[in-house]
Amino acid sequence: MERKVAIIGVGIEKAGESQVPSWELFASAAIEALKDADLHRNRVEALHVGNVYSAFTEMQTNIAPLMLTSIGIESNVAAVRYETACASSSIAFHQAYLGIASGMYDVVLVGGAERLRSISGTAVQEAMASSMDGSERSAGLTFAAYWSYVARAYARKHRIGDAQLESLLAEISVKNHYHGSFNDYAHFQKEVNVEAVLGSPQVAPPIKVMDCCPFSDGAAAFVLAAEDVAKNAKAPIWVAGTAQASGSYSASDRDDLSVNPAISVAARKAFAQARIGPKDIGVAEVHDCVNIHEVVCLESAGLFDEGRGIYAAAERETYFDGSCPVNLSGGLKSRGHPVGATGAYQICEIAQQLRGDFNGKRPEKANTGMTVNVGGTGTAVTVNIFRREE
C-alpha cells in the first residue's frame, strides 16, 4: 500500500550572487531544513538533489556525495544528483517521494543548488545551450528565440496584435516583480511598471530583457518524511499528487508551440492522484523563465482556459488577492532562476505559503497548492500538488 508523504521542514538561501560554492550553499539550506523539521542529520536515509551545470561552472562532478560531506552526514546514506535542465530538483523530489511512498525510506533530504551568477556570461550561455537540441542549437536557436516563437504562435492562435501582446506580457513581469518585492529571498526585490518593461532592450521580438528571468546563484532544501514521522511534525504539508512527463526534444517536431502537452499530461495525472481539479488549487508557483511561459503553464495545467491566461495578470486574477494567486515568490522573473534549484524553491515556497509562514505576500486562504516546473524547451516536466490538512 502506498504510504502518505509530507514535507516537514524547509530551508532556502537567498537567490542572487554568491561566492560560496554550490555544495556549500546547499549545505546551508539543508541544515536549515533539518532544523525546521526538528530532525538530526543522521535521521536522513537518502539525499536527492538537482544540479545541472556544476561540471561547466565549478569544474565539479560527483556533487551529491560532496553535499553530504558539506552537511556533515556521515552515515553512508545513498546520494544522487539529478540533471534534467530546469526541472532537475523537482524530479529529484518526485523520485524521493516514490522512495518513501514505496516503503524504501522514511526520511529523505531533497533539494537543489546552482551557481550561475558568479561566473562569466559566456560560460553560462554555453552551459545553457547544452540543454537544447544540438541541431537546433547549431542552427542558432537560443532559449530567448525559442520563447519568441512561442509568444508569436500564441498571438497568432488567439488573434492578439503585437502591441497588445507586448503590453500583456509586461503586465506579468509587473505582477511578479510586485510579489518579489516582498520576498526577502528574491534576487530582485524591486517593483517595476509596464513602461519600464516595454522600454527595456529587445532580446528576440516580442521578448524584451525585462520579460526574462535572471540567472542566479541559489539553493533550497526540504525534508520529506513518511506518515509515521510526519504526523509528529509541527506543520506537515502533504503530497497530494505528483507526476512527471516528457515533451518532444526538438522544437521543430511540435505542431503547436502555444501549449505544452507534457504539462497537460502531468497535470491530469497529478490531479487524478490528488482527487481534485484545477478549481481546487488555492495558490501556484509556475515556471516563468520568460513571461509567456507563465501563460503556457497556466493554460496547459488547466488553471485557465486556452486564450485566457495571457489576460490573468492584467486583470489581477493571479495577484496574491486574486482568484488564482500565482508566483507569490516573484517567480523566476523576480525570485531568480538558479536552474538546478528552481523546482526546489517552488516546492519550499508553496509549503511555506500553505503553512502561513512564507516571507512575502501570502494567499488570503489556501489549503492546496501546485508547482509546475519545466526543463529545457518544455522537454522535462513535473506537476506537484500539496495539501495542508486542517
Side-chain angles (χ1 to χ4, degrees):
M1 180 178 178
E2 182 178 299
R3 300 194 299 173
K4 290 178 64 177
V5 181
I7 298 169
I8 62 171
V10 301
I12 298 175
E13 291 293 296
K14 184 181 183 303
E17 184 170 345
S18 173
Q19 299 306 312
V20 176
S22 60
W23 49 93
E24 293 184 14
L25 275 176
F26 181 77
S28 295
I31 290 168
E32 182 61 30
L34 289 164
K35 180 180 177 182
D36 189 40
D38 195 25
L39 283 183
H40 190 275
R41 59 180 178 266
N42 287 342
R43 290 290 304 277
V44 172
E45 299 170 55
L47 169 66
H48 290 243
V49 65
N51 173 270
V52 189
Y53 300 121
S54 62
F56 290 91
T57 60
E58 298 180 291
M59 295 300 292
Q60 182 65 60
T61 58
N62 196 24
I63 198 168
L66 177 56
M67 289 175 170
L68 283 180
T69 298
S70 299
I71 297 165
I73 295 176
E74 300 175 350
S75 49
N76 303 117
V77 304
V80 61
R81 163 190 176 254
Y82 293 83
E83 186 283 293
T84 44
C86 315
S88 296
S89 53
S90 60
I91 290 176
F93 156 74
H94 183 72
Q95 293 299 315
Y97 165 83
L98 294 174
I100 295 176
S102 69
M104 181 174 290
Y105 302 117
D106 290 324
V107 176
V108 179
L109 181 61
V110 190
E114 202 78 69
R115 220 165 137 237
L116 294 171
R117 193 74 177 185
S118 303
I119 62 172
S120 75
T122 299
V124 172
Q125 292 299 332
E126 288 178 351
M128 289 292 296
S130 70
S131 294
M132 65 169 56
D133 178 83
S135 60
E136 292 177 339
R137 179 175 70 236
S138 298
L141 185 68
T142 65
F143 278 110
Y146 170 75
W147 292 112
S148 170
Y149 294 145
V150 171
R152 294 292 190 195
Y154 187 97
R156 286 195 302 271
K157 183 176 182 178
H158 300 292
R159 300 182 179 181
I160 299 172
D162 290 349
Q164 185 184 19
L165 174 64
E166 292 183 11
S167 178
L168 290 170
L169 290 175
E171 292 281 4
I172 299 170
S173 292
V174 170
K175 182 263 297 183
N176 287 337
H177 272 272
Y178 173 76
H179 287 157
S181 71
F182 296 93
N183 179 5
D184 291 341
Y185 293 92
H187 189 155
F188 296 144
Q189 299 170 20
K190 182 180 179 180
E191 292 186 58
V192 301
N193 57 33
V194 168
E195 291 72 26
V197 179
L198 293 177
S200 64
Q202 291 275 7
V203 179
I207 304 302
K208 298 178 172 63
V209 166
M210 290 186 66
D211 293 317
C212 306
C213 73
F215 295 126
S216 309
D217 301 338
F222 50 95
V223 179
L224 276 186
E227 183 175 14
D228 287 349
V229 178
K231 67 183 180 183
N232 297 317
K234 61 182 179 181
I237 299 299
W238 299 94
V239 182
T242 175
Q244 177 183 345
S246 300
S248 301
Y249 204 78
S250 173
S252 60
D253 288 340
R254 299 175 202 167
D255 295 329
D256 183 357
L257 291 177
S258 72
V259 295
N260 186 333
I263 295 176
S264 300
V265 168
R268 284 197 299 269
K269 290 180 178 179
F271 280 127
Q273 183 183 358
R275 298 181 181 179
I276 62 172
K279 294 186 182 301
D280 298 305
I281 298 299
V283 63
E285 291 283 336
V286 307
H287 201 92
D288 62 316
C289 51
V290 175
N291 47 25
I292 186 62
H293 198 201
E294 178 168 317
V295 178
V296 173
C297 288
L298 294 177
E299 295 184 5
S300 296
L303 297 179
F304 285 84
D305 291 339
E306 282 191 33
R308 289 302 308 161
I310 191 72
Y311 300 97
E315 296 175 359
R316 296 192 65 87
E317 291 182 85
T318 47
Y319 276 77
F320 75 99
D321 55 354
S323 60
C324 183
V326 175
N327 288 344
L328 303 192
S329 66
L332 283 64
K333 178 67 188 75
S334 182
R335 181 246 291 122
H337 187 23
V339 174
T342 291
Y345 272 91
Q346 291 181 326
I347 292 169
C348 288
E349 290 154 355
I350 284 292
Q352 291 175 327
Q353 289 162 22
L354 295 179
R355 295 192 322 191
D357 60 358
F358 178 64
N359 189 37
K361 283 293 185 183
R362 304 171 189 170
E364 292 185 350
K365 185 178 181 181
N367 295 324
T368 305
M370 168 187 273
T371 67
V372 181
N373 188 206
V374 182
T377 54
T379 52
V381 172
T382 63
V383 175
N384 304 304
I385 299 172
F386 302 92
R387 179 182 293 126
R388 174 175 61 87
E389 294 184 354
E390 299 289 353

